[in-house]
Structure formats: structure tokens, C-alpha cells
Amino acid sequence: MITGFKQILIREIKRFFKSKDLIIICLLAPILYSVGLTYIYHHQNPTDLKLTIIDKDNSYLSRNLVRMLDATPELNVVKFVPSAYEAYKSLFSNEAEIFYYIPEDFSENLKKSKSTFAFIGANASNFMVSSMAMKTIAVVSQTLSAKIFVKFLMSHNISKNTAVKMAQPLGCNFKWIFNPAKTYSNFFVPFILLAVFQQILIVAVCHTMSLETKENSWKDLFKISNNKILPVLLAKAVPYIFTSIFMIFLFLLFVLPFNSVFQTSKINFTVITFLYSFVIVFFAMAISHLFKTPVISLCALTFYSMPVLLISGFAWPLYMLPLYLKISAFLFPSTYFINLFRYYSLDNIPLNYSFIQMGQLFVFFLVCLLINLFFMKQKLKK
């Protein structure tokens, strides 16, 4: 059994390095995709978002508000226009992402502590840009409003400390867990890495398995292993387990530090990702029995990772999905792993927090192993 395993393993390694397809898929693709795609989020959050101003008040306070907005790293005041119509045109022509309409009675009402309403319009077709701009404008506006309100109270013989408390009667301490900087880099980079990692392993394993079917060479493998199935499966899997190690260290040493993603649990991250690679490899083996040629498997799996990871709960809570998508989600290993991958890549979490999910993955692995044994027995009979 051990001799057969070694012979098949050596055969698979030779096939791996002789195949241009597998070298491109397993060695070049991780570098190009992970570094190239994650570079998009190298700046972590949008900055210098173009802002148009309509200042109908044209007072010291309104000009001060504009200066405060322009001083933030997120916003850049690019133009002043006379009307809201012109501001809308600046959105449609991509001259600005957002505009701020300051009404005529802006400063007068603020000084009298009366309500005044500014109008903010944002191009929400890109929600990342618009939400960041809206949040920044809201914070700056509230800061200015609070300062003026404090001055108003102090003018009525109220002490500064009391005035500050009255301006903000409810204080809240916020703690952002796993993404304290609230950056888009920390949100999207783990998703991109997992998509690259999973797609490469699945395509590569299905490619080599369907190649055996196309060449009708399963009988040769069974002959080498004395009709034993496990040595064949393990020998076919090992090269791609090492491929996963290559990708893990690529992420740890280059991609995550390059993007300044918080990476404080390297050992735990390596452990859970390495274990997940076992599940992915045997899952890929299980679904490879559906394909008779590498070309068919490549065409079928080209768009696998993106929709599967989306329904696995990355960007939308699983419980909010339609029933048929909920059921479908549990057919894929990423459903049990995607949050673990994100959490362990962003914070230092003890491994005991992952026992339940890893137990679920182990059950999933056993199911995939049984499926492989069933189909391999069918091949052995033939």
C-alpha cells in the first residue's frame, strides 16, 4: 500500500510540473490574482472624494463648514455651483460624487439654536464611496452644530461643562471588533484571498482528476496500488495540499502585510486554512466525477467561487437568504469556513473558538470522502 502510494505520488508530481496548465493555475495564478486584485484596496478607504458645494448662505459659518469638510482626508471640495441643478449635473458628469446644499438661513438659525436643514445628495451607485462621504459630512456637520450650540448655551450664563453635556446628553463608547479601522481593505481582502485560494484548488484538482478519466488511466493507478482506493486518493491529493501551503505563505508573507490587513494570529490562521485545504481538495475530487474532460471541468468551474462565497454568508447574513439559497449554501464547504477565515485574518483568536465550525468541516470532509470512495469503487469495478 505504501509502495503504491509513493509511485502514484511521484507520478502525480511529475505530471504537475510537466503540465503548463497546472503550473499556471497553481503557481502563477495565486501571485497574479491575489497581489493584483488586493492592490485595488491598498489605500484601505476612499479618500479625496470629490465634493460640490452650493452655498446660498455665504456667511462666515458656512465658509467655515466648507473649510472643515475640505480639511478631512475623505473629502475634496472641487467646485462651487449656484444651484442644485448644476450640482446634479456634476454627479452625472462624474465631476463629483456628492454635493452639499447650504440654505440661506443656515448661520442665522444656528446662532439662534433653531433647526436648519442642509441637503446632501450622493451618487449611491457606488455605495462604498457614497456611504463614506455621507458619514464624513454628517460627522463634520454635527461637530460644527455642537460647537455653536455650546456657545449659545454659554451666552445664557450656562457653564461650559454643563453646555457640553447638554449638547451631547447621551455618550456612547464604540468598540469595533475584527475591523477597528473600519476599512474596506479589511472587509474585501479576506474575501478576495479566499476566492482565489478556493478557486485555484478546485480547478486544479478537477483538472487532474478529469484528465485521468479522459486518458482512461484509472486502471493503471489501481494496478499500481494493488486495487486499493485510499492510496490513489491520497497520492492525487498531496501535491495540491502543498499547493495550498504555497498560497497560505504567499498570503501571510506578502499579500496581507502589503495591504496592512491586521494579521496577528499567523499560526492559527495557517492551521485553520491548512485544514480547510484538505476539505477543498476532497470536495473537488468529489465533484470531479461529474466531468469527463479537463475542458468541461474548467468551463463548469470558471465562475464557481464568486456566487458560492456570496451565498456562504460573506456579505449578506445567511439567515436572510431565500430558503432555496439557504439549503444550497450548506452544500459548499465555504459556508462553514468563510467567517472563520475573515476573523482569523483580522484578529488574534484562540483556536478553541473554531471547534464547532471545524467539526462541521470534518463532517463535510467525511461526506466528500464517502462520495469519492463510492465513485472510485465504480471505476474499480469497470
Side-chain angles (χ1 to χ4, degrees), residues 60-76:
Y60 167 78
L61 280 179
S62 66
R63 290 191 296 271
N64 188 33
L65 173 61
V66 173
R67 284 193 294 269
M68 290 173 65
L69 293 171
D70 196 36
T72 64
E74 294 84 7
L75 298 173
N76 178 25

Side-chain angles (χ1 to χ4, degrees), residues 87 108 121 124 126 132 137 156 172 187 195 224 240 248 253 263-264 282 303 312 314 326-327 342 378-379:
E108 182 180 350
N126 187 335
M132 175 60 67
I137 289 178
H156 288 72
C172 295
F187 178 70
I224 295 172
Y240 304 97
I248 292 169
L253 299 178
Q263 224 319 317
T264 55
F282 279 87
F303 304 104
S312 295
F314 171 79
K326 288 182 185 177
I327 297 172
R342 178 161 51 186
Q378 301 304 310
K379 296 180 189 298

Side-chain angles (χ1 to χ4, degrees), residues 320-331:
M320 295 181 67
L321 294 176
L323 180 60
Y324 74 96
L325 286 180
K326 288 182 185 177
I327 297 172
S328 301
F330 290 106
L331 300 177

